[in-house]
Amino acid sequence: MANNTIIQFKNVTKQFDQDSLVLDHVSFEIERGKFYTLLGPSGCGKTTILRLIAGFTEPTTGDIFFNEKKFNDIPANKRQVNTVFQDYALFPHLNVYENVAFGLRIKKLKNSEIDSKVKEALSFVNLKGFEQREIREMSGGQRQRVAIARAIVNEPEVILLDEPLSALDLKLRTEMQYELRELQRRLGITFIFVTHDQEEALAMSDEIFVIHEGKIQQSGTPIDIYDEPINRFVADFIGESNIVSGKMKQDFLVEFVGKEFDCVDGGFNKNELVEIVIRPEDLEITSLEQGKLQVRVDSQLFRGVHYEICCYDKDGNEWLVHSTKKAEVGAEIGLYFDPESIHVMRLGETEEEFDRRLEIYADGERHGE
Ligand code: ATP
């Protein structure tokens, strides 16, 4: 366990009914003071992980550690953890001040102590002066901040946030993303945030865990996960991708759509079957002759900052292009990409195998320089 680890899951499974595992041998470590996001489609098990950390449910097998101590049987109210729920779960009959003070009153703190803590928490979330407001007089974004103040006033070591921005409109949601991120930095508390929105996860997190069918598919920084997705699921879920089947002819040479291309990937067997990812923004429109791929433009949409152009090659593979250049529907065009833009994925590779291969390969590359 790393020195800075605050939470550790070791081989945790969760089963509600006999034949389905909601969490399938999940292991991970959470470091103190970072912003983590659990990202995945609906039903993948994100909320179950949060509930296990909060103590609202117990693992079927496996262990959870908090500050190196086994945590499985510690009741929820004894954990140094607070949750901000999707609907904020504020008390409508109490004003802002009393909502934030609620937990402290239960702990029977002195009034003067409660007062200074509540005021400090409200000022942290920029709600100074709103103490006497009723909850129904607060906007969605302000309610969100009351919920956060209510969590931080208890000075927890970890704050769990279960899709807390999903009820907000797009503009407010973006503002709150900045605010939450900034607040986490100022507080230095570990945040574990749940979302199914990949853009939100990329924008906010130090580390992302991509979850699918009860398993962590990949964990890493937003850039790692975007640039080096481990498998088709992650590549598809994080950003838009062109994914085709291919064959690794040898290190640095891959074949797909019937052609060979230079690439920067290594560590594969000769002629190993692989999957190839190229991001739409890495494809450049050229003349037919200059392109590495030849495609026909099928449709085009203007997306504000770029055109989203959908093309097909002669084998019927779809190629999505994001370009500031316009194309003409029906035209035959070329697509150019750098060797670095080709990302090669090994079929069925686990995260450990993937990390090891990248490490060995990066070492090899450095020695080769
Ligand atoms: P969402 O984004 O929709 O909230 P999620 O990734 O948070 O999804 P979970 O809430 O963790 O998913 O649920 C994972 C699976 O476990 C789902 O199939 C869900 O139906 C099931 N599940 C969760 N809680 C229970 C329960 N108490 N009893 C039975 N099944 C449950």
Side-chain angles (χ1 to χ4, degrees):
M1 203 188 297
N3 254 351
N4 217 9
T5 301
I6 184 159
I7 294 173
Q8 187 183 24
F9 271 46
K10 261 191 183 168
N11 259 324
V12 170
T13 60
K14 181 71 191 176
Q15 196 163 14
F16 289 105
D17 47 48
Q18 284 241 300
D19 24 70
S20 71
L21 270 185
V22 167
L23 294 180
D24 185 359
H25 298 89
V26 168
S27 297
F28 61 79
E29 287 184 17
I30 300 275
E31 280 181 36
R32 202 177 299 280
K34 283 191 177 179
F35 196 118
Y36 285 84
T37 297
L38 310 180
L39 172 69
S42 180
C44 72
K46 310 179 290 289
T47 301
T48 303
I49 295 181
L50 278 202
R51 292 173 56 79
L52 284 165
I53 298 174
F56 300 144
T57 187
E58 285 172 21
T60 308
T61 62
D63 289 319
I64 302 173
F65 296 86
F66 193 88
N67 281 333
E68 297 184 32
K69 287 204 192 76
K70 201 159 135 188
F71 204 41
N72 298 31
D73 306 323
I74 310 274
N77 61 355
K78 296 270 182 320
R79 300 188 179 199
Q80 283 294 306
V81 167
N82 269 91
T83 307
V84 177
F85 296 97
Q86 190 167 6
D87 59 1
Y88 316 144
L90 297 171
F91 303 117
H93 59 288
L94 299 180
N95 64 19
V96 168
Y97 184 100
E98 288 303 330
N99 260 282
V100 179
F102 189 80
L104 305 179
R105 294 214 190 279
I106 289 196
K107 284 189 201 156
K108 300 206 175 354
L109 260 59
K110 277 197 273 168
N111 273 345
S112 57
E113 209 175 332
I114 292 178
D115 195 53
S116 73
K117 283 182 191 283
V118 170
K119 286 190 172 145
E120 192 186 348
L122 285 174
S123 108
F124 239 118
V125 296
N126 291 328
L127 283 181
K128 221 169 152 189
F130 286 79
E131 289 83 356
Q132 302 312 317
R133 280 270 195 108
E134 296 297 321
I135 292 301
R136 66 185 147 73
E137 296 167 348
M138 306 289 275
S139 70
Q142 288 167 334
R143 285 179 201 195
Q144 159 81 77
R145 286 193 236 149
V146 178
I148 292 169
R150 196 175 58 175
I152 62 178
V153 81
N154 295 308
E155 296 166 23
E157 291 196 59
V158 177
I159 294 189
L160 309 174
L161 304 108
D162 193 357
E163 305 237 15
L165 307 182
S166 60
L168 307 177
D169 66 46
L170 185 65
K171 190 161 175 289
L172 188 55
R173 196 180 169 124
T174 315
E175 275 171 33
M176 287 305 295
Q177 287 173 3
Y178 281 107
E179 259 187 47
L180 262 187
R181 181 69 245 220
E182 181 48 33
L183 182 74
Q184 188 274 333
R185 287 209 177 106
R186 278 192 284 141
L187 287 168
I189 298 179
T190 311
F191 274 35
I192 308 179
F193 181 87
V194 159
T195 183
H196 58 266
D197 180 330
Q198 47 96 7
E199 280 182 29
E200 192 159 276
L202 290 175
M204 297 180 75
S205 324
D206 291 314
E207 297 270 339
I208 300 175
F209 295 169
V210 185
I211 304 169
H212 180 46
E213 294 179 340
K215 286 191 176 140
I216 296 189
Q217 303 287 319
Q218 187 168 10
S219 53
T221 66
I223 290 177
D224 284 349
I225 288 181
Y226 189 84
D227 283 350
E228 298 282 355
I230 186 172
N231 58 30
R232 180 179 272 265
F233 173 80
V234 177
D236 222 15
F237 199 71
I238 307 275
E240 288 182 284
S241 302
N242 296 296
I243 308 176
V244 291
S245 300
K247 196 190 275 181
M248 208 59 196
K249 303 298 284 182
Q250 60 189 56
D251 280 355
F252 315 119
L253 190 68
V254 63
E255 179 188 287
F256 55 93
V257 297
K259 290 183 179 182
E260 289 184 358
F261 299 97
D262 291 334
C263 67
V264 295
D265 292 76
F268 294 85
N269 300 321
K270 203 167 159 54
N271 289 326
E272 184 174 334
L273 296 179
V274 290
E275 286 186 303
I276 309 298
V277 178
I278 305 183
R279 297 286 185 189
E281 64 272 23
D282 291 333
L283 290 171
E284 194 188 320
I285 296 177
T286 63
S287 65
L288 207 52
E289 303 72 46
Q290 283 174 324
K292 290 189 177 179
L293 289 175
Q294 281 67 38
V295 295
R296 177 185 286 273
V297 179
D298 185 63
S299 60
Q300 172 167 260
L301 279 178
F302 181 56
R303 291 278 189 196
V305 255
H306 61 253
Y307 290 94
E308 186 173 283
I309 303 158
C310 177
C311 312
Y312 286 90
D313 65 27
K314 64 175 177 25
D315 297 333
N317 296 305
E318 186 188 82
W319 294 93
L320 203 60
V321 183
H322 289 174
S323 170
T324 48
K325 278 193 209 162
K326 215 170 156 177
E328 216 160 288
V329 174
E332 303 269 351
I333 58 170
L335 296 179
Y336 181 85
F337 45 88
D338 291 324
E340 293 78 23
S341 303
I342 302 175
H343 174 64
V344 184
M345 301 185 299
R346 188 168 229 166
L347 305 180
E349 193 166 42
T350 66
E351 196 171 12
E352 291 78 42
E353 290 163 350
F354 173 80
D355 288 344
R356 210 172 315 130
R357 183 165 60 79
L358 283 198
E359 219 168 88
I360 293 169
Y361 175 65
D363 274 353
E365 229 188 6
R366 272 197 295 274
H367 292 315
E369 273 170 9

